[in-house]
Amino acid sequence: RRMLSTRSGGAAAAAAAAAAMVLFMVFMVKETESKKVFKKKILMQGKKYKIHADTESDMCNAVISEMHTELVKHKMKADGEDNIYDTAGMAICLGVVQRYTFDKDDTGIWKLIKKNKTDDDDEDDMFGGMGEGANSQQVVEGLLLTKRVCMDWCEELQQEVSEVMYKRVDSSTPQEIAQDFCPQAIKPEEK
C-alpha cells in the first residue's frame, strides 16, 4: 500500500476546495440571476399585442400578492414547499386573472391593471370588472392576455417564486417580498 505525500494530499485538498467554490458560485449565480421573460410584443392567437414596459414588474407584484394571499389563507406552508411550488406555477394564474386584467390605452399598448371589483361571486365581474359600456371584445382579449402572460411568467420563474414565498410568507407582507424580489428576478428593459 502506498501513502500519498503531504504535498499531493495538499494539492488534492486544494483542487477539491476549488471545485466546491466553483459549484457554490454556480448555485449563487443561478439563485440571483435575473430573467427577461417578455419582449415588447406578445404573439397570441395569431395577433401581436404590444405590452407596456412594466409588464414583468407588474406581473411579479400581482403573482407575489396572490401567492401570499393563497398561502396564508390555506396555511400551505405547513404542508411543505412542494405545495407552494405547485401553486407558484399555473395554479396562481387563476387568482391573477380574477383580480387583474390587461387594458389597452389610446396608443395600442396593453397594461396590466388591478380590476375595480374583486368579488369572485359577482356575475358582473365575469368580464373583468370593467364598467358599463366597456368594449367586450377588448375586455375578453385583456383577460386572455392576462392568462397567457401570467402562465408564461410563472413557467419561467416558478422555482424562484416558490423559494422566496416559502422563506418569507410568514415574516413579510406581499409588498415587502415583491419590493425585494421583483427587481432582482426581472432583467431590466434594454434601452
Side-chain angles (χ1 to χ4, degrees), residues 40-42 44 47-51 110 141 145:
K40 293 180 183 180
K41 293 181 182 176
I42 293 180
M44 183 177 75
K47 183 176 177 182
K48 287 185 183 179
Y49 292 84
K50 293 179 188 175
I51 58 171
W110 293 81
E141 282 181 283
L145 189 58

Side-chain angles (χ1 to χ4, degrees), residues 131-147:
E132 293 276 331
N135 178 340
S136 60
Q137 180 180 348
Q138 184 174 319
V139 170
V140 171
E141 282 181 283
L143 291 170
L144 290 172
L145 189 58
T146 305
K147 177 185 173 203

Side-chain angles (χ1 to χ4, degrees), residues 27-43:
F27 286 120
M28 290 304 292
V29 168
K30 183 178 190 301
E31 185 173 293
T32 60
E33 186 177 305
S34 61
K35 297 179 180 182
K36 185 77 181 152
V37 179
F38 307 112
K39 300 193 183 320
K40 293 180 183 180
K41 293 181 182 176
I42 293 180
L43 182 63

Side-chain angles (χ1 to χ4, degrees), residues 35-38 51-65 100 111-112 149 153 157 178-179 181-189:
K35 297 179 180 182
K36 185 77 181 152
V37 179
F38 307 112
I51 58 171
H52 194 274
D54 293 339
T55 296
E56 291 195 61
S57 176
D58 294 344
M59 185 56 70
C60 184
N61 283 288
V63 168
I64 296 295
S65 177
Y100 297 83
K111 171 123 178 85
L112 186 67
V149 169
W153 193 90
L157 291 160
Q179 183 178 10
F181 173 76
C182 294
Q184 293 177 3
I186 299 164
K187 189 181 261 187
E189 183 71 26

